[in-house]
Structures are given as C-alpha cells and as structure tokens.
Amino acid sequence: GWGFGLVLVLLVVPALLAIGHDLGRNIRAARRGLAGRAPGLQGALGVAGLAAAGWFAVTMGAVMMTGALPVAVGCGASMAMAFGLFVGGVAAITLLVWIAAAVRIARRLQT
C-alpha cells in the first residue's frame, strides 16, 4: 500500500496536473484566437475542423457504419487501420494549416 501510494502521489498526480495545465493553456490560446484578434484564424480553424470531420467520416465513420473502408481510401475492415489513417490524415491537415499560416506570417513580416 505504501509503495502504491508513493507512486500515485509522487508521479501520477503531478503528471495529471501538468497535463491539465498544458490543456488549459492550449484552450485559452484557441479562445483568444477565435475571439477575433488574429485575422483569418477563424476561417483557417473552421476549414481544418471541417476537413478533420470529413476525414473522420471517410475513415472511421465508414468502418463503423459499413464494416469496411471505402475502396478509394484503402482496403480492409480493421478499425485499427481506419484509426491509423484518421490520425495520419489529421496530422497532414494540421501540417498544411501550419505551413499556410507560416507562409502568411512570413509574407506579412516582409512588407
């Protein structure tokens, strides 16, 4: 009992607090961005969110509804494969939005 309590108090609780702090900081930053202080951010986040929702429907949603991935995406009926494709697609969407924002900021700084 003492060993379990020690691990719980000294490792798990501080890790959970740090995770909560990091998530709170990201949520506050997103709220500031969506409040209208950064022009164009609302549109970019909206497009990225719609793209991620659409990709979810194509990958994981298709496996949940029909039991198989669409032929255009890949073959197979594994939920793990669909999840991998979903995570990879969302990572690609996020990377594209990040690159577009970096290019826009670089152009703004040049002028």
Side-chain angles (χ1 to χ4, degrees):
W2 284 93
F4 178 74
L6 182 73
V7 168
L8 189 68
V9 169
L10 292 179
L11 295 177
V12 175
V13 171
L16 289 175
L17 289 173
I19 290 169
H21 177 71
D22 289 345
L23 288 175
R25 191 172 53 194
N26 288 334
I27 290 171
R28 283 190 302 275
R31 283 184 183 166
R32 278 194 311 269
L34 291 174
R37 295 181 188 170
L41 182 63
Q42 292 173 340
L45 288 178
V47 168
L50 286 175
W55 187 242
F56 177 84
V58 169
T59 56
M60 295 185 61
V63 172
M64 285 189 262
M65 297 302 287
T66 64
L69 285 167
V71 177
V73 176
C75 57
S78 170
M79 182 59 87
M81 180 185 290
F83 181 71
L85 285 171
F86 172 69
V87 169
V90 169
I93 291 167
T94 304
L95 182 64
L96 288 174
V97 169
W98 183 81
I99 289 171
V103 167
R104 184 173 178 192
I105 290 171
R107 286 184 182 168
R108 186 179 294 168
L109 291 176
Q110 287 178 353
T111 59

